[in-house]
Amino acid sequence: MSIIARKNLLKLAWNIQLKCVRHHRVIPMPDPMPYTTAIWRKRYPYRHKTQFEVTHDEVYTKDMELKTLEERRQEFDPQPIRVDKVNIGFLSPTNSVSTSESRKRFEHYANQRNRADLKKLHYDGALRLPIDEVHDDWLSSRYFSENLRMIADHYGVFDDLFKHGYFVPRIPLNVNYPYDNDQVTPIYSGNRLYAKDASEKPQVKWKSTNESNEYYTLIFTNLDGHLKEDNAEVLHWFVGNIPGNQIDKGETLCTYLPPFPPNGSGWHRCVFLLYKHQNGPINFSELYGLLPENSVSLEKRTFRTFDFFNKLCSHLRPITLAFFQVAWDTSVKNIFHNILGMKEPRYEFDFEPRYLPPQQFSVEMAPFHRYLEQYRDRKDVNEEVIKHYLKMTCPFNGYPNVPKYPLAAPNEKWVPDWYKYELVKYHKRQGKWKMMPF
Amino acid sequence: MNIIRRFLSTSTENSAYTISSRLLNRNPRTLEWQNLQWRATGWPLQYPTKDYLHRARLLSSGRHLIAQINHYYTGNVCVQVSTREWAIRKHLATCKDRSVAYNLALILAQRAEECGISKIHFGHPHDQRYEKSSRLQYFYRGLIDSNIEFEQTEDNQTQATRDAIDGINYDEHERDVRYAPPKMHYPPDAYQEKLHYFQLGLNKKNELLSNDDTNKERKISS
């Protein structure tokens, strides 16, 4: 018999015992889940719990040391490109309120505050402001300019027209499309119209001071409707060198073409931009280039406002804008066939493709009908639904007899389980049947 | 033989023009109007809800009221109406009144329609904050009277009872916007009955105090 001699045998034995026994002393652990937010109290009272529950605290106090989003962004991209926007329009408002006028206004407010009849209207909830008058007054105030700039920013109009430029529109632009007899479709800022309403030339009016050397240019473009290139606009109407207020006396360098948003392409923004000339009339063919006069060719009507303004920025300055949104309508077909002379395109929304692993021949632990249905073309699946719906609502078959509680009625024939679950889905209108109108 | 002319146009300028197979619509709002934009539907316990595109809000500064329409994703203010404007303020005596809020709602709805915003979400029609402030109630009334549409969620909407509004406002931690029950001056069953009759516009007589002879026997016996 040999004696196992070892230094510190007792200590070794004690350590082995310690490892075997659960102990509640704190053990440093690597940080397994750094971005959690659970924090336990330090003095956990239940000492009989295992080490993991007690050292929970030690692990998750590192929350406070986590970096903020800004710091992590900084690490990722230490010098992001910053572009400050440039104001390319008129800096000062055209009709600012003079001090005498504002003093009068404050006097008016003081008078209003002392009127007992008005206060009674307030209290009774019977006060009704004249909305038309408020609208007219608002059009000539700086709040209108600011609001129009905000909404144009919201629709991304400035980003697409002048990339890093913007301007504050100083005067209101009244654009009215003729509708029916005397009625009129007005354009404000972001109106939604159908193409039928914009098929004729609109009446455009703005307020001009009666100076002799005042010239304007009106440009009407479609920011989203270019069928070939992504960053270009389509020029629909160009009238240059308009003296004062009268569009008829300006040079129409591009005849009016109604907007033609193709089917399925969503809402296109169409913008009326009014530029004011700095010094008199401009010779556009010299400074900018050829503009399509009567031509209907879409290639010639490709337009980029950024390039246009770059070339002519010393002669022009944008003073106001008005824009609306157009969507497809049956009249667009006529525009394509009769005016443009091309086939009408039809678009569909491009949904993000769902990720599916490559299809395997045989799959274990997966219901075969659902697996196979995943790999079918979505259009075939929808076609089935539509055909079923048409069969149900066929006018020769009479009113469809939809039972009130279809799942309560038992099946007459025996049917395999997987088919039963498919029927349940059909009755509940889940999955592909969700599109059924009833 | 009948040769049917395909197009009535005589121009051949676009005959050689080939369209690209994809069209890029750069309008950032087109998806919203087409109902294809992702909505923030993952916050069912959040109150006021985040599941909106455009929200109508009534703010008050020291002396003025501001009515705004906010957009959820970008945080932009789309339309703003405030009593600071001369056009509105010249008709008013006080700027922070509840009838002013009503009129601001009407004007806000009109300007929103001009800007193409046809559907609006109003944050909190039935919570404690709304019930306390008659200004907000008049604002909501103004939005309703202006015939602007309200946003609706797509899934089946169960009737929103007061008890269902239970969520926690993760956005504003300081203020508690949860519904608090009204102060009850009577025991619960009697209060419910009284409330019911009050809403009907009737005064329910107390049985024990009435002077009818029919109930006397019952009273004596019990």
Side-chain angles (χ1 to χ4, degrees):
Chain A
M1 195 172 96
S2 55
I3 301 169
I4 301 166
R6 207 205 122 108
K7 234 182 0 174
N8 296 331
L9 188 60
L10 198 63
K11 207 171 184 179
L12 181 65
W14 182 243
N15 283 344
I16 292 170
Q17 274 188 28
L18 266 182
K19 276 186 204 160
C20 300
V21 160
R22 290 163 169 193
H23 54 83
H24 58 262
R25 295 190 114 236
V26 159
I27 298 169
M29 272 169 61
D31 202 356
M33 287 190 288
Y35 302 120
T36 52
T37 53
I39 294 179
W40 276 36
R41 286 205 308 235
K42 260 216 148 69
R43 293 200 178 180
Y44 196 61
Y46 304 107
R47 296 192 164 221
H48 59 274
K49 293 282 180 180
T50 55
Q51 59 187 6
F52 291 106
E53 274 143 317
V54 178
T55 55
H56 200 276
D57 174 39
E58 200 54 18
V59 170
Y60 294 118
T61 46
K62 289 190 187 167
D63 285 342
M64 300 304 153
E65 297 163 6
L66 290 174
K67 294 175 194 152
T68 59
L69 183 64
E70 300 302 327
E71 286 169 8
R72 277 160 62 196
R73 240 186 224 158
Q74 191 73 27
E75 271 182 0
F76 182 73
D77 185 13
Q79 281 157 2
I81 302 166
R82 273 211 237 130
V83 178
D84 292 325
K85 296 238 170 175
V86 178
N87 190 346
I88 50 175
F90 289 89
L91 294 170
S92 61
T94 42
N95 44 3
S96 46
V97 179
S98 59
T99 34
S100 57
E101 173 68 32
S102 56
R103 220 175 277 148
K104 275 192 221 165
R105 286 183 182 180
F106 278 107
E107 280 172 19
H108 177 79
Y109 299 148
N111 291 339
Q112 293 276 83
R113 257 177 259 141
N114 296 329
R115 281 176 58 186
D117 57 332
L118 195 57
K119 282 196 175 166
K120 186 168 191 305
L121 277 181
H122 269 278
Y123 185 73
D124 293 337
L127 181 74
R128 298 283 179 272
L129 300 181
I131 294 186
D132 298 327
E133 205 188 306
V134 166
H135 192 256
D136 291 332
D137 282 335
W138 173 63
L139 285 178
S140 50
S141 71
R142 69 180 170 100
Y143 296 100
F144 165 76
S145 311
E146 190 52 40
N147 230 330
L148 189 49
R149 190 200 63 82
M150 273 188 330
I151 193 87
D153 237 347
H154 180 62
Y155 277 99
V157 161
F158 294 135
D159 289 331
D160 290 330
L161 285 176
F162 318 100
K163 297 175 195 171
H164 46 262
Y166 73 98
F167 71 96
V168 184
R170 294 295 173 195
I171 54 173
L173 186 66
N174 296 324
V175 183
N176 290 317
Y177 274 102
Y179 186 67
D180 230 6
N181 306 329
D182 288 329
Q183 286 179 349
V184 127
T185 314
I187 305 292
Y188 298 112
S189 48
N191 262 3
R192 274 186 272 157
L193 309 184
Y194 288 106
K196 194 178 65 167
D197 298 328
S199 44
E200 288 167 23
K201 224 197 242 189
Q203 306 155 11
V204 186
K205 285 184 208 152
W206 63 90
K207 213 167 105 178
S208 73
T209 53
N210 289 327
E211 285 169 27
S212 57
N213 210 20
E214 210 180 57
Y215 287 93
Y216 293 94
T217 302
L218 178 72
I219 304 184
F220 176 41
T221 48
N222 184 342
L223 305 183
D224 304 313
H226 201 267
L227 299 171
K228 218 170 184 178
E229 292 164 50
D230 282 347
N231 289 326
E233 304 155 23
V234 182
L235 181 66
H236 283 286
W237 199 25
F238 190 116
V239 190
N241 297 328
I242 305 169
N245 214 344
Q246 302 122 17
I247 300 181
D248 309 326
K249 298 193 185 162
E251 302 171 34
T252 308
L253 289 167
C254 188
T255 45
Y256 183 77
L257 178 72
F260 47 89
N263 191 359
S265 59
W267 297 84
H268 295 226
R269 298 162 292 177
C270 295
V271 181
F272 286 93
L273 262 176
L274 190 72
Y275 296 92
K276 190 169 178 181
H277 292 213
Q278 306 273 47
N279 322 301
I282 298 174
N283 190 350
F284 286 104
S285 50
E286 210 183 272
L287 292 168
Y288 175 64
L290 282 177
L291 280 161
E293 313 261 321
N294 281 325
S295 123
V296 147
S297 135
L298 289 178
E299 220 175 286
K300 287 191 195 165
R301 282 190 178 237
T302 307
F303 191 70
R304 271 164 239 263
T305 310
F306 186 64
D307 295 338
F308 174 80
F309 191 69
N310 259 343
K311 287 185 191 164
L312 294 169
C313 59
S314 46
H315 305 278
L316 290 178
R317 238 172 159 187
I319 192 170
T320 185
L321 88 159
F323 63 99
F324 63 101
Q325 297 177 81
V326 229
W328 180 85
D329 183 62
T330 42
S331 64
V332 172
K333 186 177 167 186
N334 295 332
I335 300 174
F336 271 105
H337 290 180
N338 300 344
I339 303 176
L340 294 175
M342 49 196 285
K343 290 187 192 177
E344 193 201 358
R346 195 191 172 114
Y347 292 91
E348 268 175 5
F349 188 72
D350 189 18
F351 289 95
E352 275 172 32
R354 199 183 254 190
Y355 171 70
L356 284 176
Q359 190 176 5
Q360 294 166 21
F361 178 68
S362 85
V363 171
E364 294 168 24
M365 308 295 287
F368 77 97
H369 59 288
R370 274 199 233 162
Y371 185 78
L372 291 174
E373 184 119 334
Q374 276 177 340
Y375 292 97
R376 280 177 79 193
D377 198 341
R378 192 182 277 245
K379 297 211 171 156
D380 293 336
V381 172
N382 286 338
E383 198 185 310
E384 265 186 30
V385 174
I386 290 171
K387 279 187 173 164
H388 178 87
Y389 169 67
L390 288 174
K391 209 161 107 179
M392 263 178 102
T393 55
C394 177
F396 303 112
N397 284 353
Y399 201 77
N401 186 18
V402 179
K404 195 174 179 191
Y405 300 107
L407 293 172
N411 283 325
E412 291 135 7
K413 282 198 297 190
W414 175 84
V415 134
D417 275 353
W418 65 267
Y419 191 71
K420 230 194 317 184
Y421 300 138
E422 290 290 292
L423 279 179
V424 164
K425 267 190 170 179
Y426 163 69
H427 287 301
K428 284 187 175 180
R429 303 290 188 253
Q430 288 172 351
K432 67 182 180 186
W433 301 105
K434 195 173 179 187
M435 285 317 192
M436 291 271 278
F438 61 90
Chain B
M1 197 162 81
N2 243 348
I3 301 172
I4 301 169
R5 197 74 191 282
R6 188 81 191 269
F7 310 116
L8 293 177
S9 150
T10 46
S11 72
T12 47
E13 293 171 42
N14 283 322
S15 50
Y17 192 72
T18 44
I19 311 172
S20 76
S21 55
R22 300 175 74 106
L23 181 109
L24 176 68
N25 189 338
R26 297 182 289 174
N27 188 358
R29 306 290 144 238
T30 181
L31 290 177
E32 286 162 25
W33 310 134
Q34 288 179 296
N35 215 8
L36 291 169
Q37 171 73 33
W38 285 109
R39 301 279 293 260
T41 43
W43 297 82
L45 294 180
Q46 157 79 6
Y47 183 79
T49 53
K50 288 188 181 192
D51 187 12
Y52 62 88
L53 289 169
H54 299 274
R55 155 180 80 161
R57 250 188 135 179
L58 186 68
L59 308 174
S60 70
S61 83
R63 289 195 188 187
H64 291 283
L65 278 185
I66 309 172
Q68 275 180 358
I69 288 187
N70 293 354
H71 184 245
Y72 176 62
Y73 293 105
T74 46
N76 288 339
V77 175
C78 306
V79 187
Q80 196 175 36
V81 189
S82 74
T83 48
R84 284 187 206 120
E85 302 170 19
W86 158 247
I88 294 172
R89 198 177 167 188
K90 71 179 182 184
H91 299 286
L92 305 176
T94 45
C95 287
K96 284 178 79 168
D97 216 35
R98 57 192 183 181
S99 32
V100 171
Y102 180 83
N103 288 297
L104 283 184
L106 293 177
I107 297 173
L108 184 75
Q110 192 214 21
R111 290 189 197 171
E113 300 247 21
E114 288 178 12
C115 292
I117 298 165
S118 55
K119 294 202 176 183
I120 275 181
H121 175 261
F122 182 68
H124 37 99
H126 294 291
D127 67 339
Q128 190 191 23
R129 187 175 176 186
Y130 175 82
E131 275 162 37
K132 261 183 152 180
S133 150
S134 54
R135 202 160 63 190
L136 266 181
Q137 292 174 19
Y138 274 62
F139 185 70
Y140 189 42
R141 186 76 220 180
L143 288 179
I144 294 171
D145 287 348
S146 69
N147 290 326
I148 199 163
E149 289 168 23
F150 284 94
E151 285 183 19
Q152 278 185 352
T153 48
E154 273 175 26
D155 46 354
N156 299 328
Q157 267 192 327
T158 52
Q159 195 185 19
T161 56
R162 284 171 175 186
D163 308 306
I165 300 173
D166 228 345
I168 302 168
N169 193 351
Y170 295 102
D171 289 339
E172 296 174 31
H173 298 292
E174 295 89 46
R175 259 202 279 191
D176 187 9
V177 176
R178 274 179 279 184
Y179 173 74
K183 287 183 198 163
M184 292 207 293
H185 304 287
Y186 307 86
D189 42 332
Y191 182 74
Q192 283 296 329
E193 217 177 61
K194 195 175 175 69
L195 196 62
H196 174 65
Y197 276 86
F198 175 71
Q199 282 168 351
L200 290 176
L202 302 171
N203 269 324
K204 183 176 185 284
K205 275 199 213 165
N206 205 340
E207 266 182 6
L208 297 167
L209 294 176
S210 67
N211 290 323
D212 284 338
D213 289 293
T214 49
N215 282 334
K216 256 191 187 160
E217 288 169 18
R218 262 188 244 159
K219 279 184 235 164
I220 294 165
S221 60
S222 65

